[in-house]
Amino acid sequence: MRPLLITVGSRGDVQPYLALALGLRAAGHRPLLAAPRRFAPLAAAHGVEFAPLNDEMLGLQDTVRGQGVRAAITAARSVKPMLRRMLDDQAALTAEPADVVIYHPKSLGGPSIAEKLGVPALAGLLVPLYLPTAAFPSPILPFRVPRGLNRASWRISGAVEAPYRRTVRGWRADKLGLRGTPRPVTALVEAGDVLHAWSPHLLPAPADWPAAARPTGFWSLPTGDWTPPERLARFLDDGDPPVYVGFGSSAGGDPGTLTATVLEAVRLTGRRAVLSTGWGALRPEGEPDGVLVIEEAPHEWLFPRVAVAVHHGGIGTVAAALRAGVPQVVRPFLGDQPFWAGHLHRLGVAPAPVTGRLTPDLLATAIEAAIPLAPAAVGLAARVTAEDGVATAIARITS
């Protein structure tokens, strides 16, 4: 088969699709991964055929992060032209045949590309977004609702696409020769054209979901033979397992204050720590005793070597920590992060989410509360790592 995989967004949106591409290639297929061009080196490192997509929107996010509301509003005016250029890059993918399209809904163009090629399309969802259930509210709902309104809360998913429908409709006509607006992703997912890429041990399929919607398990990259920088390897060898702190691309708008809070919390615990600056959520000006600052390291390699993982609750980081068997402390910022933070707490591998105004005492207390949860985290890891989410997804793709 010639599967076409289309995803956009941060590394957390791209890496699972890369893992799926690797699995497809190992199974004898010829996958093509289309993703923001900044991830071309990552794909090349794994030998995966790659089609670059315009990534100006990621650059825009980098520019305005932490600059305040006015900068964000000004930047928003540039989004639609950037979106159109990203869609134009996707249109170029129709120059060659494909047998199936697996797309991230953020790409917006996936269903239309499949329609143009005349092949099936499957939404590859890293979080539950489009299939209503009475079991829990939509993970992206920014407030709590009574249980009786759980199913109704999922209407918010359709609203996410609304601001872009006119742009997508014009692009379909201009670049693909297709008339009208594509079917909403909600309708496609409800028809069963979906792959849910998380572990059923984290979130099992609710009873009111069809069998086709059962989660496959995480799409995780193999750990490989990554060699750490000497300073990281030496730091890990020089003492007890440290606390990991990293918030990826999430931040509360003031990286300096967040960094100071984290460093003071670490000092209060008396523990060593590895701080990952990621996309700038943390901006330390130096390295206090017992603290090592890195830009990033593969979670699959690093997390088995730490005592606690403190993070924002993005599903990619959640998955890596679950597989590593490390207890977690989650400081959620937005989107689906509070949803996963609550689930981890209920599973007994994380203390209650750290919400509200973050203080050093609050974070230090949460870190200490996470330490005794290590046995539960190790037990859950044994079940999660026994799954092969990529193989399960491939079986559905090729059936």
Side-chain angles (χ1 to χ4, degrees):
M1 292 183 65
R2 177 65 163 170
L4 172 58
L5 285 59
I6 308 175
T7 185
V8 301
S10 66
R11 180 164 179 155
D13 298 300
V14 174
Q15 187 163 304
Y17 277 74
L18 176 60
L20 180 59
L22 282 173
L24 284 161
R25 190 184 65 185
H29 304 291
R30 297 182 300 112
L32 172 63
L33 174 63
R37 62 171 43 93
R38 68 172 56 183
F39 296 107
L42 180 64
H46 289 85
V48 168
E49 187 176 352
F50 185 80
L53 302 178
N54 185 289
D55 64 356
E56 290 173 294
M57 286 192 289
L58 291 178
L60 183 66
Q61 291 172 13
D62 294 345
T63 301
V64 304
R65 183 171 291 112
Q67 299 299 312
V69 174
R70 179 176 296 180
I73 293 173
T74 301
R77 298 173 186 146
S78 306
V79 167
K80 286 190 177 180
M82 292 178 180
L83 173 61
R84 177 58 192 257
R85 289 189 283 272
M86 184 265 288
L87 287 168
D88 287 349
D89 284 347
Q90 291 181 50
L93 300 172
T94 62
E96 296 184 14
D99 296 300
V100 63
V101 174
I102 300 99
Y103 66 94
H104 194 305
K106 284 184 183 179
S107 72
L108 296 176
S112 298
I113 297 299
E115 183 181 344
K116 178 65 175 180
L117 292 170
V119 300
L122 292 168
L125 300 185
L126 310 180
V127 300
L129 287 177
Y130 294 100
L131 196 57
T133 176
F136 50 83
S138 168
I140 61 173
L141 199 70
F143 50 83
R144 293 184 178 182
V145 296
R147 184 176 179 85
L149 295 178
N150 279 353
R151 180 174 288 275
S153 73
W154 289 77
R155 294 173 185 165
I156 192 174
S157 299
V160 173
E161 297 176 73
Y164 312 109
R165 284 179 185 146
R166 184 174 180 179
T167 300
V168 172
R169 185 167 59 247
W171 165 74
R172 279 167 53 87
D174 295 344
K175 290 293 184 177
L176 301 181
L178 299 174
R179 297 293 181 186
T181 303
R183 291 178 65 196
V185 175
T186 300
L188 297 171
V189 170
E190 289 182 353
D193 299 330
V194 64
L195 297 167
H196 281 142
W198 63 82
S199 170
H201 292 293
L202 173 63
L203 180 67
D208 53 359
W209 276 9
R214 287 197 300 266
T216 63
F218 293 119
W219 300 349
S220 300
L221 281 177
T223 53
D225 298 321
W226 186 74
T227 301
E230 182 181 349
R231 62 194 296 269
L232 174 57
R234 186 169 60 248
F235 182 82
L236 293 172
D237 288 340
D238 280 350
D240 294 334
V243 173
Y244 166 88
V245 185
F247 300 110
S249 58
S250 297
D254 187 348
T257 298
L258 179 60
T259 302
T261 299
V262 166
L263 290 174
E264 177 60 12
V266 168
R267 189 193 68 79
L268 290 173
T269 67
R271 299 180 181 274
R272 305 188 318 139
V274 172
L275 267 62
S276 175
T277 58
W279 282 15
L282 296 174
R283 294 180 185 171
E285 296 182 357
E287 288 182 337
D289 290 343
V291 174
L292 180 73
V293 177
I294 62 173
E295 183 176 348
E296 63 177 359
H299 290 161
E300 294 77 12
W301 184 91
L302 180 58
F303 281 3
R305 295 167 170 82
V306 305
V308 175
V310 181
H311 59 88
H312 55 299
I315 188 58
T317 311
V318 167
L322 285 176
R323 291 176 62 85
V326 60
Q328 306 178 51
V329 171
V330 182
R331 171 44 165 122
F333 291 88
L334 48 78
D336 57 308
Q337 296 166 7
F339 177 80
W340 296 120
H343 271 279
L344 293 171
H345 179 50
R346 287 187 285 275
L347 287 170
V349 297
V354 182
T355 58
R357 179 175 173 271
L358 187 65
T359 66
D361 286 339
L362 193 62
L363 183 55
T365 299
I367 291 171
E368 291 300 332
I371 297 292
L373 304 179
V378 170
L380 183 56
R383 299 193 294 276
V384 171
T385 55
E387 302 166 347
D388 191 337
V390 166
T392 300
I394 291 172
R396 294 190 190 175
I397 292 167
T398 57
S399 62

